[in-house]
Amino acid sequence: MRMSKLLMPTLREVPAEAEIASHKLMLRAGMIRKLASGIYSYLPLGLRVERKIEQIVREEMDKAGALELLMPALLPAEAYMQSGRWEIFGPSMFKMKDRYERDFCLGPTHEELFTQTAIDNIRSYKEYPMTMYQIQHKYRDEGRPRFGVIRSREFVMKDAYSFDLSEEGLDRSYQAMYKAYCNVFNRLGLDFTIVDADSGAMGGSGSQEFMVKSPVGEDGIAYCDDCGYAANYEKAECVPTEVECPEGDLDMEMIHTPNAHTIEELVEFMGAKPYNFVKTIIYKADDKFIAAMVRGDRDVNEVKLKNLVGCVDDLELAEPFEVKRITNAEVGFAGPVGLQIPVYVDKEVELMKNFIVGANQTDMHYKNVNIGKDFTPFMIADIRVICPGDKCPRCGKEIKAAQGIEVGHIFKLGTKYSKALGLKAQTETGEEKDVIMGCYGIGVTRCLAASIEQNNDENGIIWPVAIAPYEAVVVPVNAKSEEQTALAEEIYKELSDAGIEALIDDRNERPGVKFKDSDLIGIPVRIVVGKKCGEGIVEYKERTAAEAVEKTVSQAVKDVISFIKSNK
Ligand code: ATP
Ligand code: MG
């Protein structure tokens, strides 16, 4: 490709709208342009990378035996109404009506439609197991679109769905996808971690997420370097730790704590340690109220709590006026003693004695409170958020924390959608069975940004060869020199003939501009044709190398070819 003919509007300035490296660099390298919040156009360089990622995903899906098909993105409402997700998606679903006032949406994910496809087209139980997939635009009206294509409102997803007649079959289909995902992310050159993820209160027996560790990631990961345990923060099991508590068989005592609402204020006021307190937080679970108790230095894990309560719609903090009604006190003084709603207590609190809680009276707390003696929990379970420094639930060593970008998600769905829509198979013996499903997603466009997050420096993007928009660039330093131009053209032709996706920078630009651009757009290897071209000497530089190396023309060409072929 001739760079003089390429639509590559690179920017020297850092665009004000971008906060993170990948977003800045995708804009600066002229890969994408924003059309509206969370909606982007892909210019040629961006599209080439996106297509390469798609292709790697496609090859690995095909290798795993999945069948590619393509659904519409514009979908009639019925199947989503049948599954209940027309309501559940709430404002994140783009909904519309056609001219006959019929309801439609832009597909946020396609479980319902693939289930429908199986109902309509799989004729015999003998056709199972089957896995189908598509690579397609998805639409989600995200509450906070941000970070460019990492969280956008239109994005490309590969979504796959497996259909099996037994749990063992589902395990096999799931494992095949797990392996395919490892292959995909390895080929993309991503440094990833696989974490156990929450599979929700409803259905689903297993779920894992593929995370790219990155400080800009929106998901928390708890991991252990010693045994390899890794889990999503929402899912990570907590090992209760014991803390020092006041000794003895003490009696509960009310204390006046004026204006001390928070743990910090109480610590200051009472001279106790944060872990001597137990927080009581009032939640609204669907339409019931519950209380959750965790140690003063811990946080409630709302996902665990929601699953435990079996809450279908929403678990949210009770409004201040509701807290007041339930506790008869201002917010900040809730406690378990005498509370008339179910109290869920974290396991760690069970190890404590003589602790401090709110007294359900404004400006009052109780000290020396003990489970059993002073109040009865509705349930004691693991309901807290894991912390760095906690014990690993597998090996007991220290847990560490990192942030991650979720690039893929695999999920054992079970029979949730087959039951809702009526996907059954009649077996040999005439028995009717609900088909067991799995679903598997990869955020194709998010992968693009995740790769840049992991591969960049102060000069720009550093593409792994496998997904670079072009593999090599030939730069004649002086566009006016016929000698340099002729040699550069010759090298460009040789590389192209050898199957290398090469660029030639034939623009009438200063050398500095050309070098800056080739670094910015992240081309893996560059040949510079300069002053020594008369002697048959050029400069060879890999994007990651600090310095260029002088080589003969034939050596440089040979090295480019072998570098590209061996890194693909
Ligand atoms: P998240 O928790 O990040 O919102 P999700 O769990 O809702 O994602 P899934 O429904 O599991 O996402 O979708 C499969 C994959 O699609 C995700 O692993 C992610 O890589 C990608 N993805 C999801 N939402 C977006 C988005 N708004 N923009 C870009 N990619 C997305
Ligand atoms: Mg997910």
Side-chain angles (χ1 to χ4, degrees):
M1 181 74 204
R2 297 184 173 280
M3 285 173 78
S4 59
K5 299 273 186 276
L6 187 60
L7 179 63
M8 192 189 85
T10 54
L11 307 170
R12 291 283 163 259
E13 300 296 315
V14 178
E17 68 189 85
E19 297 166 65
I20 62 168
S22 59
H23 189 194
K24 287 177 191 166
L25 288 170
M26 286 178 80
L27 290 167
R28 285 191 52 211
M31 296 173 65
I32 55 166
R33 286 295 179 257
K34 177 169 142 185
L35 213 61
S37 167
I39 302 178
Y40 292 88
S41 308
Y42 283 75
L43 300 186
L45 288 182
L47 186 62
R48 282 181 76 90
V49 179
E50 195 276 333
R51 288 273 156 83
K52 286 193 175 183
I53 298 176
E54 270 190 19
Q55 191 49 28
I56 289 174
V57 172
R58 182 171 284 117
E59 284 169 15
E60 293 301 329
M61 285 297 117
D62 293 349
K63 216 159 79 188
L67 306 167
E68 183 169 9
L69 47 80
L70 184 61
M71 297 267 168
L74 180 60
L75 305 169
E78 283 72 20
Y80 290 95
M81 287 179 173
Q82 255 175 291
S83 73
R85 289 209 291 183
W86 186 257
E87 302 302 328
I88 292 171
F89 271 115
S92 9
M93 196 183 232
F94 281 102
K95 293 178 178 168
M96 71 203 78
K97 288 192 187 290
D98 71 1
R99 60 170 74 201
Y100 305 108
E101 290 292 306
R102 286 183 297 226
D103 287 310
F104 282 81
C105 69
L106 292 175
T109 170
H110 279 65
E111 280 77 4
E112 287 82 349
L113 277 295
F114 274 78
T115 309
Q116 195 59 51
T117 302
I119 293 173
D120 295 343
N121 299 289
I122 300 184
R123 304 234 166 100
S124 151
Y125 74 93
K126 290 182 186 151
E127 292 179 65
Y128 293 100
M130 187 181 288
T131 298
M132 308 181 212
Y133 78 99
Q134 64 175 346
I135 300 177
Q136 193 218 32
H137 281 100
K138 294 280 184 277
Y139 298 85
R140 295 183 185 178
D141 198 354
E142 297 277 359
R144 245 188 114 195
R146 61 185 195 143
F147 295 164
V149 301
I150 287 193
R151 184 166 300 284
S152 50
R153 298 198 293 168
E154 179 188 75
F155 57 97
V156 178
M157 196 204 285
K158 182 287 302 174
D159 47 329
Y161 306 86
S162 63
F163 301 90
D164 277 276
L165 296 182
S166 66
E167 290 292 339
E168 302 74 56
L170 170 62
D171 287 345
R172 278 192 295 273
S173 301
Y174 184 90
Q175 279 314 318
M177 283 295 121
Y178 179 99
K179 198 159 158 256
Y181 273 44
C182 292
N183 294 344
V184 165
F185 297 121
N186 280 326
R187 285 181 64 186
L188 295 181
L190 290 171
D191 176 12
F192 64 98
T193 308
I194 302 164
V195 304
D196 290 343
D198 175 60
S199 39
M202 306 287 293
S205 51
S207 163
Q208 284 164 304
E209 286 169 350
F210 290 72
M211 294 283 190
V212 166
K213 276 191 205 163
S214 157
V216 306
E218 295 177 283
D219 293 295
I221 306 172
Y223 68 98
C224 170
D225 276 335
D226 282 277
C227 73
Y229 173 82
N232 194 313
Y233 248 67
E234 295 168 348
K235 166 88 181 179
E237 286 164 54
C238 297
V239 179
T241 42
E242 225 167 320
V243 285
E244 220 178 296
C245 297
E247 280 304 320
D249 197 6
L250 306 176
D251 283 332
M252 184 170 87
E253 201 181 308
M254 192 179 270
I255 38 173
H256 188 217
T257 52
N259 296 321
H261 303 256
T262 63
I263 294 291
E264 292 74 36
E265 286 161 351
L266 279 166
V267 164
E268 169 122 16
F269 184 83
M270 298 185 61
K273 294 273 189 295
Y275 56 70
N276 293 135
F277 295 85
V278 179
K279 298 189 231 184
T280 307
I281 298 162
I282 314 289
Y283 284 97
K284 195 171 176 180
D286 296 335
D287 49 7
K288 288 197 310 267
F289 289 97
I290 57 158
M293 295 182 70
V294 291
R295 219 170 68 191
D297 55 342
R298 306 298 201 193
D299 289 310
V300 175
N301 182 324
E302 294 180 359
V303 173
K304 285 183 188 169
L305 186 61
K306 185 174 172 182
N307 292 345
L308 195 68
V309 176
C311 163
V312 183
D313 290 331
D314 252 342
L315 177 91
E316 50 191 31
L317 286 174
E319 297 288 340
F321 79 90
E322 294 166 329
V323 175
K324 256 184 180 164
R325 203 179 62 217
I326 292 163
T327 65
N328 294 315
E330 292 294 331
V331 175
F333 300 95
V337 182
L339 205 59
Q340 295 301 315
I341 56 175
V343 179
Y344 291 78
V345 174
D346 183 58
K347 267 184 175 172
E348 215 166 37
V349 178
E350 210 182 5
L351 305 179
M352 298 170 68
K353 51 184 187 183
N354 302 321
F355 48 84
I356 307 163
V357 298
N360 298 325
Q361 279 187 48
T362 302
D363 289 345
M364 294 295 187
H365 279 80
Y366 280 124
K367 68 176 188 182
N368 304 332
V369 174
N370 289 284
I371 295 179
K373 190 167 145 206
D374 302 309
F375 73 99
T376 310
F378 177 75
M379 197 185 275
I380 299 178
D382 171 15
I383 56 165
R384 73 173 174 97
V385 180
I386 200 163
C387 300
D390 266 1
K391 286 202 177 101
C392 169
R394 290 250 179 86
C395 75
K397 297 271 170 52
E398 194 182 318
I399 281 288
K400 292 188 178 145
Q403 291 304 112
I405 303 171
E406 179 195 321
V407 287
H409 191 175
I410 56 178
F411 198 112
K412 290 184 184 173
L413 281 172
T415 54
K416 182 175 170 188
Y417 294 95
S418 41
K419 278 210 174 93
L421 284 104
L423 170 60
K424 290 180 189 302
Q426 200 164 35
T427 63
E428 232 163 333
T429 55
E431 187 198 350
E432 281 223 320
K433 274 185 153 182
D434 293 317
V435 174
I436 305 171
M437 292 172 57
C439 70
Y440 316 91
I442 291 181
V444 172
T445 38
R446 188 181 279 184
C447 282
L448 212 151
S451 173
I452 300 175
E453 284 300 327
Q454 285 194 334
N455 304 292
N456 71 79
D457 64 12
E458 64 283 6
N459 298 320
I461 303 168
I462 306 173
W463 288 116
V465 171
I467 58 172
Y470 290 91
E471 293 163 341
V473 56
V474 186
V475 182
V477 172
N478 181 354
K480 297 199 179 80
S481 154
E482 270 175 37
E483 194 185 25
Q484 287 184 19
T485 307
L487 182 58
E489 291 286 350
E490 205 178 292
I491 295 171
Y492 169 62
K493 183 167 185 308
E494 255 185 75
L495 291 176
S496 304
D497 288 349
I500 302 296
E501 296 171 16
L503 284 171
I504 179 163
D505 199 345
D506 57 344
R507 298 174 300 170
N508 189 11
E509 290 282 3
R510 282 177 291 114
V513 171
K514 294 183 179 182
F515 296 150
K516 278 214 165 72
D517 276 347
S518 76
D519 277 349
L520 176 61
I521 66 173
I523 304 304
V525 59
R526 167 166 91 197
I527 292 180
V528 175
V529 182
K531 283 201 193 88
K532 291 198 181 165
C533 93
E535 303 159 42
I537 301 288
V538 291
E539 281 180 6
Y540 169 98
K541 184 176 177 298
E542 288 166 18
R543 176 66 180 79
T544 50
E547 301 289 338
V549 187
E550 288 192 346
K551 295 188 178 190
T552 61
V553 172
S554 63
Q555 191 61 47
V557 169
K558 229 196 266 165
D559 288 353
V560 168
I561 296 169
S562 76
F563 172 73
I564 297 301
K565 299 250 148 102
S566 61
N567 281 288
K568 244 185 183 164

